Amino acid sequence: MSPNRRDVLRGLGLAALATPLAACATTGRSAAPTPTVTAAATSAANPLGVNAASPLEVVIFSGGNGDKYAVDLHEAAYSKTYPQSKLKHVGTQKVGTQLRPRFISGDVPDVVNNSGPEALDLQALVQEGQLADLTPLFEAPSLAFPDKKVIDTLVGGVYENSLIDGVPRVLQYTVGHRALWHNAKLFESKGWQLPRTWDEFNALGEEAKKAGIALFAYPGQVGPFYQVWNLVYTAAKIGGNKVIIDIDNLADGAWTAEPVRQAVAAWAQIQKDFGDKAYFGLDHTQTQVKHLQDKVLFYPCGSWLENEMAKEKPDTFEYAIAPVPSVTGTDAMPYEAIFVGVAEAFFVSAKGKNPQGGLEYLRIMLSKEGARGYTEQTRNLTVVNGVVDGLNLTSAVNSAAKAQEAAGKNIITDARFETWYKELFDYSQTQTNSVMAGRITADQFCENMQKKADELKNDSSISKQTRSV
């Protein structure tokens, strides 16, 4: 992964893979009304009321995943179900450039994969009534698990991230994971079990020390934000996602809250007892090579790690993911809770010619065949739980899928202050290095971070953001 791509993922927190353009999506004049087809009567076989003969147009961002998956899987399945429908496929790397004039004129496609550097401004589209309400989709019977509603088959966070002004408008289709990566083959050869509690984590640290292995490391240069994530997500496990929401909202005392202090103190202790200060001088690639050499047991990172290190990975190494161990006996979230960030936005045009067909297209994407096929083709997990069993996937993808399924709805939310307040996020990296190196205490870390957050909160020149979930 290049530094530019890394910076993009870091800045976006894997919550979305596209940044809206600063300009409004459809400035200049309102879109002309577009007549839609009459919906068909709903039934068990057609819960969304799709008119079988109505055409459907699908626009797919043809980026790193290409657009072949859409043609081969989702569009093929839609055409098989509705053979009378004329389906038009458009692949593009310039979503905004290609679609903005069409939204102005009123000639809009039915389904849009709104990703890439030229993604449309969703808030602007909502203000103009362009995005369909996805409630019927979420409430419809799942094609993957017919005894469940679609919403009940999805990883936690999907519905919350679909909301714009309180209404579900966007389907995020893929997931990325951040937790502790380790070598499953090493654990097997040593007969070690993954630690579920902090006491077990410390006990494993003693065993690893005897074997000449650092229990944990992160890159102090070009990568300290990995440990910032780790601290914040651990605090959320202790105190619940409200910890992160308060941090993002610049709430009074958010950084000095007890869950944050406990998380920082716990990780500083691990570094002091079982870490190696040499890693403070290494960048991410150097640290990850040490990890592949089994000189580091656990490494905090995202699920791109396997692809990033594919050329360096020896056959003796098998990437696997593990949740952060429970810090206290009263953590708000269970051991299984991990960060799962949803991404790859799709929406249905409210003023399209076939919004019912657009909703059905998304339902097909969330079917077992649609989700499994996508993962098989792109090596990316989708937001549908329990559909990849038996696929021949890489060790990292398989491990992440199992961890995601085990977590269920216990998903740690993304920390948005990293994009909302870059100055605060940059400061958190220097403070993280300081506390992990023992130059300041956990209490001092929390006080310093709170002081910086308060400075930004009281600075009227800085635009403030808020979130409720």
Side-chain angles (χ1 to χ4, degrees):
M1 180 179 295
S2 68
N4 286 341
R5 176 61 172 162
R6 176 182 299 280
D7 288 343
V8 169
L9 288 171
R10 169 168 66 87
L12 295 174
L14 290 177
L17 292 182
T19 302
L21 299 179
C24 289
T26 58
T27 54
R29 58 189 174 89
S30 299
T34 302
T36 59
V37 298
T38 303
T42 60
S43 64
N46 187 11
L48 295 170
V50 179
N51 186 318
S54 179
L56 185 79
E57 182 178 359
V58 179
V59 176
I60 300 294
F61 172 64
S62 183
N65 294 326
D67 59 348
K68 187 175 183 294
Y69 71 86
V71 176
D72 293 350
L73 298 168
H74 309 142
E75 293 172 13
Y78 187 92
S79 294
K80 183 177 180 180
T81 304
Y82 304 102
Q84 299 175 59
S85 173
K86 183 179 180 181
L87 196 151
K88 180 180 179 181
H89 169 88
V90 178
T92 180
Q93 293 187 8
K94 298 183 177 182
V95 175
T97 298
Q98 190 156 344
L99 295 187
R100 191 172 290 108
R102 295 186 58 184
F103 276 98
I104 292 174
S105 70
D107 175 28
V108 298
D110 300 297
V111 178
V112 177
N113 172 202
N114 190 49
S115 288
E118 294 192 17
L120 294 163
D121 185 333
L122 295 178
Q123 186 66 53
L125 289 173
V126 168
Q127 291 174 357
E128 296 183 1
Q130 297 283 6
L131 301 194
D133 184 346
L134 301 186
T135 298
L137 166 69
F138 286 123
E139 292 296 315
S142 165
L143 291 170
F145 304 98
D147 58 332
K148 297 181 180 180
K149 294 180 180 179
V150 167
I151 194 171
D152 294 326
T153 68
L154 307 179
V155 67
V158 176
Y159 183 79
E160 291 80 2
N161 278 273
S162 75
L163 299 174
I164 300 179
D165 296 338
V167 179
R169 303 286 188 186
V170 182
L171 172 68
Q172 303 287 356
Y173 189 54
T174 65
V175 294
H177 307 76
R178 295 185 195 140
L180 300 178
W181 291 91
H182 59 284
N183 181 2
K185 289 184 177 180
L186 176 64
F187 270 71
E188 183 179 2
S189 68
K190 297 287 188 182
W192 291 340
Q193 299 296 314
L194 291 177
R196 297 176 62 89
T197 68
W198 214 254
D199 285 344
E200 292 176 357
F201 198 31
N202 277 270
L204 180 59
E206 295 291 352
E207 292 297 315
K209 185 184 292 187
K210 294 175 185 177
I213 304 171
L215 177 64
F216 162 83
Y218 74 94
Q221 303 295 323
V222 194
F225 54 85
Y226 288 173
Q227 182 61 6
V228 175
W229 290 335
N230 206 26
L231 296 178
V232 172
Y233 298 155
T234 302
K237 292 193 77 166
I238 297 171
N241 278 328
K242 186 177 184 299
V243 172
I244 295 178
I245 293 170
D246 285 348
I247 286 174
D248 289 344
N249 288 339
L250 302 179
D252 293 341
W255 284 99
T256 54
E258 184 61 13
V260 180
R261 190 200 66 78
Q262 288 178 313
V264 175
W267 278 109
Q269 170 262 310
I270 290 295
Q271 174 65 43
K272 177 177 179 292
D273 292 346
F274 307 112
D276 184 342
K277 289 187 178 181
Y279 290 98
F280 293 128
L282 302 185
D283 64 21
H284 63 282
T285 301
Q286 293 168 324
T287 306
Q288 287 159 196
V289 168
K290 297 288 188 181
H291 188 218
L292 291 175
Q293 294 170 345
D294 287 332
K295 295 181 179 179
V296 174
L297 200 58
F298 288 109
Y299 181 70
C301 193
S303 49
W304 60 80
L305 181 60
E306 183 180 47
N307 280 340
E308 185 171 49
M309 302 304 293
K311 292 181 180 179
E312 290 82 7
K313 188 176 76 68
D315 292 339
T316 55
F317 198 100
E318 181 180 306
Y319 276 114
I321 199 171
V324 171
S326 298
V327 179
T328 76
T330 58
D331 284 2
M333 302 182 80
Y335 160 74
E336 291 81 7
I338 61 170
F339 170 88
V340 180
V342 295
E344 203 66 30
F346 284 77
F347 68 79
V348 173
S349 300
K351 298 181 181 181
K353 298 178 178 63
N354 188 5
Q356 296 82 18
L359 293 173
E360 179 68 9
Y361 182 87
L362 297 189
R363 193 166 77 112
I364 288 172
M365 287 175 56
L366 299 171
S367 68
K368 187 172 294 185
E369 293 77 11
R372 280 173 63 91
Y374 179 89
T375 298
E376 199 166 25
Q377 280 201 22
T378 69
R379 294 298 187 265
N380 287 298
L381 291 171
T382 73
V383 295
V384 186
N385 275 324
V387 297
V388 298
D389 292 346
L391 287 184
N392 184 24
L393 302 173
T394 65
S395 61
V397 175
N398 273 319
S399 178
K402 291 177 181 177
Q404 175 180 314
E405 191 166 0
K409 299 296 183 181
N410 297 300
I411 300 302
I412 300 171
T413 190
D414 57 310
R416 302 177 193 175
F417 79 95
E418 51 189 87
T419 52
W420 287 355
Y421 309 109
K422 187 176 185 298
E423 183 179 345
L424 182 63
F425 190 60
D426 289 346
Y427 184 71
S428 74
Q429 295 183 61
T430 63
Q431 291 300 298
T432 292
N433 275 347
S434 291
V435 73
M436 294 297 288
R439 294 191 293 271
I440 61 174
T441 66
D443 286 342
Q444 289 171 324
F445 171 93
C446 293
E447 290 167 5
N448 292 346
M449 288 302 302
Q450 188 61 54
K451 182 179 179 181
K452 174 61 71 172
D454 289 343
E455 288 177 2
L456 297 179
K457 183 177 182 177
N458 295 325
D459 187 341
S460 60
S461 68
I462 297 175
S463 177
K464 306 305 189 299
Q465 307 292 324
T466 59
R467 61 183 293 194
S468 58
V469 293

